[in-house]
Amino acid sequence: MDELRRKGLEKMNEVYGWDMPDIEGNPFFDLTVEHLFGTIWTRPGLSMRDKRIMTLTAVAALGIDDLAEIQANAALHNSELDADELKEMAIFLTHYLGFPLGSKFDGAVGRVVAKRKKAAEKGEGEDKRANVDAAVKMHSGKKLED
């Protein structure tokens, strides 16, 4: 594995808060790992929290529920934002994006918070498999095998 790919996978794991599998032979995944995570997410100048807030804002503006859930869960996992801050983001963004997109983002945050609370009450960790599956599907179009 070359240095850029290693660096990209390492940053991808940090951004998502779990170990992302290395999917070889998929040009889209290769570009995502090596460029987005190996080059863009590793640039200095913005904190991880800043980058997370910007990413959450962008996915909220586009109405991308699955990525909003992945990013909100990772923000909670990495302690970059807490549940109250994510809810405040939804309220704030609603006034710039409009009610349909703001409420869609609020719903994604609510689902993540509820899943994490339910898992904590059961004494279980996060549902990492669902998160990894969603991220793999988003970045490569593939679903992991059980």
Side-chain angles (χ1 to χ4, degrees):
M1 175 183 310
D2 71 16
E3 180 61 21
L4 182 59
R5 189 167 189 94
R6 185 202 57 73
K7 182 174 138 181
L9 280 170
E10 188 175 283
K11 182 56 74 172
M12 194 176 202
N13 291 338
E14 179 186 349
V15 168
Y16 286 135
W18 64 79
D19 289 335
M20 190 73 177
D22 186 4
I23 303 168
E24 296 182 26
N26 181 302
F28 185 78
F29 187 79
D30 295 344
L31 184 62
T32 300
V33 169
E34 295 165 14
H35 180 68
L36 176 60
F37 290 101
T39 304
I40 302 302
W41 272 89
T42 58
R43 288 178 56 82
L46 295 171
S47 69
M48 283 295 290
R49 188 176 194 274
D50 295 339
K51 292 172 186 175
R52 182 82 64 198
I53 289 170
M54 291 173 56
T55 302
L56 284 163
T57 300
V59 299
L62 295 170
I64 307 172
D65 287 22
D66 56 350
L67 186 51
E69 288 187 32
I70 290 168
Q71 289 290 331
N73 191 52
L76 292 168
H77 174 81
N78 291 328
S79 301
E80 296 153 351
L81 296 162
D82 63 29
D84 291 336
E85 290 171 317
L86 288 168
K87 287 298 211 175
E88 272 304 311
M89 280 186 70
I91 292 167
F92 185 84
L93 288 174
T94 296
H95 292 83
Y96 286 90
L97 303 177
F99 186 79
L101 289 172
S103 64
K104 195 172 187 180
F105 180 69
D106 183 64
V109 168
R111 285 188 297 280
V112 167
V113 170
K115 285 177 190 175
R116 291 176 69 90
K117 183 179 178 184
K118 186 176 179 180
E121 287 170 353
K122 289 182 175 182
E124 300 171 355
E126 303 161 39
D127 183 6
K128 291 184 180 183
R129 176 58 186 228
N131 291 332
V132 172
D133 277 354
V136 168
K137 184 176 180 186
M138 177 181 60
H139 288 298
S140 70
K142 292 183 178 180
K143 177 98 170 135
L144 291 178
E145 299 299 321
D146 289 326

